[in-house]
Amino acid sequence: MSKARFTLHGDVGEIVLDDPPLNLFGPQLAGDVATAAREARDSSARAVLIRAEGDNFSAGANVEMFLGRDESAARELIEEFMPAIRLFAEIEVPTVAAVQGLCLAAGLEVALTCDLIWAAEGTQLGLVEAVIGATPFGGGTQRLVARAGAGRAAEAVLTGRPYPAETMRDWGIVNRVLPAAELHDKALAFVERLAAGPTLAHAATKRMIRLAVDEGVEAADAALPEAGARVMASEDLQNGARTLLESGPGNATFEGR
């Protein structure tokens, strides 16, 4: 039975971790999550929500799979796991992670690959691998640096402690904190609004963000003329500009072309 799934509801895709109560990442969950992420990436979804069943988004990895591994076997495991996480970053449309309960280690690494993170009140988030003598194996450290800076990332990873959602919001890691009872419905409504937006332009925006983070502002500047020209010539922008002139803002519809 699959421990993660992708479903498409109209223009909105949904990836669900489904191995409660802790949604621990072991070989099966990691593999099923990778499959769901590929399906989302290759689907017609115009925005994607990532969430989890149960009281916790994910408490991290099942540490049993680390036991008894020599360096070669450990490297193989990391090389298998990291691509599963990186697949979320390959989804060109907007992605929102809605997290609750515990969002730790591998769970937070998944959330950090998404464009936005929304959290329920009471959520605890952290890269806690230091507690077992580990460092994040799924790219969490570097993604935390990208969102919060080196100093915050160093504190979070070196201490290995979880932080309340409100602290993570203040650090720029979490975008919004909502009452738990409202999280799913409000996050879904937000994703639906994103899905109705100019997804071709959103893809270009995501590319500029990635370039700026990974290679610097100059690299993003260099890539902008080509990416921007495609957006400017798109049916969406042409229709949006005409609609603005004729009917005012907020009346355009977009097809992603």
Side-chain angles (χ1 to χ4, degrees):
M1 180 177 178
S2 177
K3 295 184 176 182
R5 64 182 182 274
F6 169 74
T7 53
L8 186 63
H9 310 282
D11 290 332
V12 173
E14 188 175 58
I15 295 173
V16 181
L17 281 60
D18 191 6
D19 191 23
L22 295 177
N23 292 305
L24 291 176
F25 276 80
Q28 183 181 345
L29 180 57
D32 291 345
V33 163
T35 297
R38 288 189 193 95
E39 292 175 354
R41 179 194 64 192
D42 299 337
S43 74
S44 62
R46 294 170 55 85
V48 177
L49 175 68
I50 295 90
R51 66 173 186 88
E53 298 286 1
D55 294 333
N56 302 291
F57 183 76
S58 173
N62 184 342
V63 299
E64 290 182 357
M65 65 181 176
F66 301 151
L67 297 176
R69 290 182 179 270
D70 61 17
E71 189 170 336
S72 176
R75 183 185 181 94
E76 289 179 4
L77 180 63
I78 294 169
E79 289 178 342
E80 290 174 4
F81 181 63
M82 278 199 68
I85 300 292
R86 286 183 58 84
L87 280 166
F88 286 88
E90 296 178 7
I91 299 172
E92 290 192 348
V93 298
T95 55
V96 178
V99 305
Q100 77 281 0
L102 299 175
C103 181
L104 307 175
L108 181 53
E109 289 181 302
V110 166
L112 287 169
T113 64
C114 297
D115 299 315
L116 304 172
I117 302 174
W118 285 26
E121 293 174 350
T123 302
Q124 294 286 310
L125 305 96
L127 296 175
V128 297
E129 287 85 347
V131 172
I132 64 164
T135 188
F137 297 133
T141 301
Q142 45 269 43
R143 290 185 175 86
L144 208 59
V145 171
R147 286 179 183 255
R152 295 294 195 194
E155 178 181 340
V157 179
L158 294 175
T159 62
R161 59 165 285 195
Y163 292 84
E166 291 78 6
T167 299
M168 289 297 209
R169 179 192 58 202
D170 293 344
W171 286 7
I173 297 162
V174 167
N175 296 89
R176 298 191 191 180
V177 179
L178 299 172
E182 300 177 8
L183 176 66
H184 177 262
D185 288 348
K186 289 193 172 181
L188 180 58
F190 181 76
V191 171
E192 288 172 344
R193 289 197 296 274
L194 291 176
T199 51
L200 189 67
H202 289 338
T205 298
K206 290 182 61 157
R207 184 183 175 201
M208 292 303 106
I209 292 170
R210 285 196 301 268
L211 281 171
V213 169
D214 295 343
E215 301 179 33
V217 172
E218 288 188 4
D221 285 347
L224 182 57
E226 178 182 352
R230 184 181 178 213
V231 172
M232 190 180 298
S234 69
E235 293 180 24
D236 276 353
L237 186 143
Q238 296 299 313
N239 174 64
R242 282 194 299 269
T243 302
L244 175 67
L245 294 171
E246 295 168 0
S247 308
N251 295 304
T253 58
F254 304 104
E255 300 293 335
R257 297 193 298 266

